[in-house]
Amino acid sequence: MRIARFVIDNDPAFGVVEGTEGNEEVAVMNGDPFYSGIQLTGVRHKLEDVRLLAPVIPRSKIVGIGRNFAEHAKELGNEVPPAPLMFLKPNTSVIGPGDPIVLPSFSEAVSFESELAVVIGRICKDVPIERVDDVIFGYTCANDLTARDVQKTDNQWARAKGFDTSCPLGPWIETELDTEDLAVRGRLDGEIKQDGSTSQMIWGVRELVAYVSQAFTLLPGDIILTGTPSGVGLISDGQRYEVEIEGIGTLSNPARR
């Protein structure tokens, strides 16, 4: 099931995206599916008539995982960490499909990172691996934008990875997905820059959710970013980056200075 958050006539709402590409509709939900479940109102809109928003604004946190693809760690001159390397992004970093990435004035080297994002569906802590599927609401595409120059000089990653608009999410949440071997691609102005698979992740989705939940109580709508394949590079004013994940769809955002 594809669950989108959208706006029409200035009123944000959730809906289920149905139909085939080019002939899709949004069946409007009543309330917030994270708390109310899936309750349809009977109202429907053509997908082309609505504006998609970020499918969720985390009420609590976004937990990123660094260097979870060996080739990506290598291309930046880093070793693979002995355990998942966690960092936080604030919810103010989130934007939706088509929204502009605003390149911060304090950086001259912002890079793109295509990632699978896990969306948490219930309050949980210390989740055993065999119970992880019970706490996942679904999955979406993410772009973990990073100010590389600031990342090198700040000694920690809060500013480099947490600036406003540094976490595009979308286009919707896919609730049923096998994440063992999904293609993860990224295109800069239509040219493929990243072409990997979730099978290349050092720690898989279940391992990451279990590990993160040891440190943090996870709340409905929290996001875990699972890492990026190799091929990261810089994005400049006027360029557009697309994150495509097999089984979900494509997230596209322009960059603005």
Side-chain angles (χ1 to χ4, degrees):
M1 182 181 296
R2 294 176 292 173
I3 296 179
R5 184 169 161 265
F6 66 95
V7 66
I8 189 167
D9 298 329
N10 297 319
D11 293 324
F14 286 92
V16 177
V17 180
E18 301 174 335
T20 57
E21 186 174 356
N23 191 32
E24 293 160 310
E25 293 186 333
V26 181
V28 181
M29 289 185 192
N30 184 21
D32 186 333
F34 287 93
Y35 294 96
S36 306
I38 310 300
Q39 301 180 36
L40 300 181
T41 65
V43 177
R44 304 177 71 88
H45 302 286
K46 292 184 178 180
L47 184 61
E48 62 192 34
D49 292 337
V50 306
R51 180 169 67 88
L52 292 177
L53 306 173
V56 61
I57 301 294
R59 295 164 175 83
S60 172
K61 55 195 166 293
I62 302 154
V63 183
I65 304 296
R67 305 171 190 167
N68 195 28
F69 285 74
E71 288 301 313
H72 169 58
K74 181 179 178 181
E75 73 180 345
L76 296 182
N78 298 310
E79 298 292 331
V80 172
L85 178 59
M86 294 189 290
F87 58 90
L88 296 173
K89 294 170 82 92
N91 59 11
T92 49
S93 66
V94 173
I95 56 174
D99 291 340
I101 299 160
V102 180
L103 303 174
S105 60
F106 54 76
S107 175
E108 296 299 325
V110 174
S111 72
F112 47 77
E113 294 189 14
S114 302
E115 307 204 10
L116 173 70
V118 181
V119 186
I120 299 300
R122 55 186 291 188
I123 297 175
C124 57
K125 181 74 168 72
D126 295 322
V127 183
I129 288 180
E130 62 270 18
R131 295 285 305 279
V132 164
D133 290 351
D134 296 338
V135 307
I136 293 176
F137 185 83
Y139 307 88
T140 191
C141 304
N143 190 348
D144 176 25
L145 292 146
T146 306
R148 293 293 178 202
D149 45 359
V150 173
Q151 187 181 32
K152 294 176 181 178
T153 60
D154 276 9
N155 295 321
Q156 48 77 35
W157 297 358
R159 190 165 65 128
K161 284 184 171 287
F163 63 86
D164 287 356
T165 76
S166 66
C167 192
L169 296 175
W172 39 63
I173 297 168
E174 174 56 64
T175 61
E176 299 175 12
L177 194 65
D178 182 349
T179 62
E180 294 299 315
D181 187 14
L182 297 174
V184 179
R185 300 187 178 95
R187 297 181 179 85
L188 183 65
D189 290 341
E191 180 182 354
I192 289 184
K193 295 295 185 179
Q194 295 182 273
D195 190 0
S197 168
T198 55
S199 65
Q200 300 167 337
M201 294 196 303
I202 299 166
W203 294 283
V205 166
R206 292 182 180 90
E207 294 170 290
L208 291 177
V209 174
Y211 187 82
V212 170
S213 73
Q214 293 173 8
F216 308 112
T217 296
L218 297 172
L219 304 181
D222 280 357
I223 297 288
I224 298 175
L225 306 179
T226 59
T228 193
S230 61
V232 300
L234 303 183
I235 187 169
S236 302
D237 178 38
Q239 293 186 302
R240 177 177 289 271
Y241 201 70
E242 295 176 330
V243 177
E244 180 186 358
I245 298 181
E246 182 182 1
I248 300 176
T250 301
L251 168 67
S252 177
N253 298 89
R256 300 284 183 265
R257 176 66 70 179

